[in-house]
Amino acid sequence: GPATKAYVGYPTGVAVDAAGDLYITEQLNCRVRKVTTDGTISTVAGNGNCGYTNADGSATGVALYYPKGVTVDIGGNVYVAASMWIRKVTPDGIISSIAGNGYLGYSGDGGPATDATLNNPTLLAADSAGRIYIADTFNNAVRMLTPATAAPSISAGGVVPASSTVNTIQAGQWVSIYGSNLAGTTANWTGNFPTTLGGTSVTIDGKPAYLSYVSPTQINVQAPDNAATGTVQVAVMTPTGTATSTVTLARVAPAFLLLDGRHVAGLILRSNGSGAYGGGTYDIIGPTGNSLGYPTVAAKAGDVIELFATGFGPTNPTVHAGQAFAGVAWTVDPVTLQLGGVSVTPSFAGISGSGLYQFNLTIPAGLGPGDVSLAATVGGAQSQTGIVISL
């Protein structure tokens, strides 16, 4: 509920995460509370009992023993000083002990943190490398904890066009990279084409890529401009190491953007203002209803639609990677579209935004109803298989 209406029992430690959310240790209530930027308060650790325990499990299901210090690292992990332990709460709500063996003392420097002894730690701080600094009060010392970290790795065949599974990409294309430990946090760009995001950077054939999203398991980037073709190296660099893989760089690598792994991303233009989005100017194409989690509408014969894709080759004029673009740039190579096996000629085929291809067309009669197969061919390459448009 509203944070200003909550009772907070003897707040002792505070910390702020990258999103601006506030974390508070309640020493008397033996809990850690979170106040989001909209003023909502919730419990992230402690069940309200002041139990002398270091049990692992659900962070809100275990007892904390008079917690004092709190800090948050760049990955969104919350660290709490509670009695003789330092406890860690992951973003998915799991708590564990990462320092302290449950006995008072001053030992263990240079060895495993869970074998060390602490004496009433009160304040915590985290740096950008993930190290945790502990004010070990009754030992009159500041201790440093270096958490175990894993190097990044890229899944086999894990470099693909956005919404595709084919290990072939095009320069300037929006690309997804899948793996593990690819970033220490989840972060989104602000439309500014950064080459480093959340401490992670990517190169393709030795050239910096432009990151729009990073997380531990997925990175979205725009591939840099590059005239080369063939097998090239992809490198993901984080504070914990570097992962490398390879991908085929081609002149074209066509792939439709998808809503759910199957349904194409597209709009139905509504000149009469009846659309659900954009002040009535458009609907999102999909099965009529809310089966995708938001309102979508199946297109019908005569509807003017826009479909979105990546990797459909060179354009005139050229649109460079890493730069905002607003306008139209027609594809150099002809694009063939097929809906339900019927060829449809788009009225426009080209780039309408940086790395974003758009096809404008009118739905012909006689194709629906239902999910109808969709395919495109450009430069001798075909878009991903098994995708549909709802009619």
Side-chain angles (χ1 to χ4, degrees), residues 71-74 125-133 144-145:
T71 192
V72 188
D73 69 14
I74 61 171
D127 67 15
S128 60
R131 293 180 291 255
I132 307 301
Y133 297 87
M144 184 178 76
L145 166 62

Side-chain angles (χ1 to χ4, degrees), residues 38-202:
D38 65 359
T40 300
I41 193 167
S42 61
T43 297
V44 297
N47 62 8
N49 295 319
C50 300
Y52 185 78
T53 175
N54 68 337
D56 297 345
S58 170
T60 55
V62 302
L64 293 176
Y65 192 77
Y66 300 108
K68 296 182 177 66
V70 62
T71 192
V72 188
D73 69 14
I74 61 171
N77 299 294
V78 179
Y79 299 85
V80 185
S83 186
M84 280 76 74
W85 296 287
I86 306 300
R87 310 277 270 150
K88 176 182 177 181
V89 181
T90 61
D92 58 357
I94 302 301
I95 194 169
S96 61
S97 288
I98 61 168
N101 66 2
Y103 294 94
L104 294 173
Y106 185 17
S107 67
D109 281 359
T114 51
D115 290 342
T117 54
L118 304 169
N119 197 340
N120 195 37
T122 53
L123 298 176
L124 300 176
D127 67 15
S128 60
R131 293 180 291 255
I132 307 301
Y133 297 87
I134 306 164
D136 197 358
T137 305
F138 288 175
N139 283 325
N140 298 309
V142 176
R143 316 279 290 274
M144 184 178 76
L145 166 62
T146 304
T149 55
S153 65
I154 301 172
S155 301
V159 183
V160 296
S163 294
S164 181
T165 58
V166 179
N167 198 214
T168 298
I169 66 170
Q170 168 197 308
Q173 185 170 36
W174 288 105
V175 173
S176 294
I177 302 171
Y178 297 96
S180 60
N181 305 306
L182 298 176
T185 186
T186 297
N188 287 281
W189 71 335
T190 59
N192 56 340
F193 298 91
T195 55
T196 299
L197 185 63
T200 293
S201 58
V202 174

Side-chain angles (χ1 to χ4, degrees), residues 5 13 16 31 58 88-89 107 178 199 209 220 223 227 240 268 289 299 302 304 319 330 345 368:
K5 296 184 181 301
V16 179
R31 293 184 298 187
S58 170
K88 176 182 177 181
V89 181
S107 67
Y178 297 96
N220 294 339
T240 61
I268 308 171
V304 177
V319 177
W330 290 75
T345 302

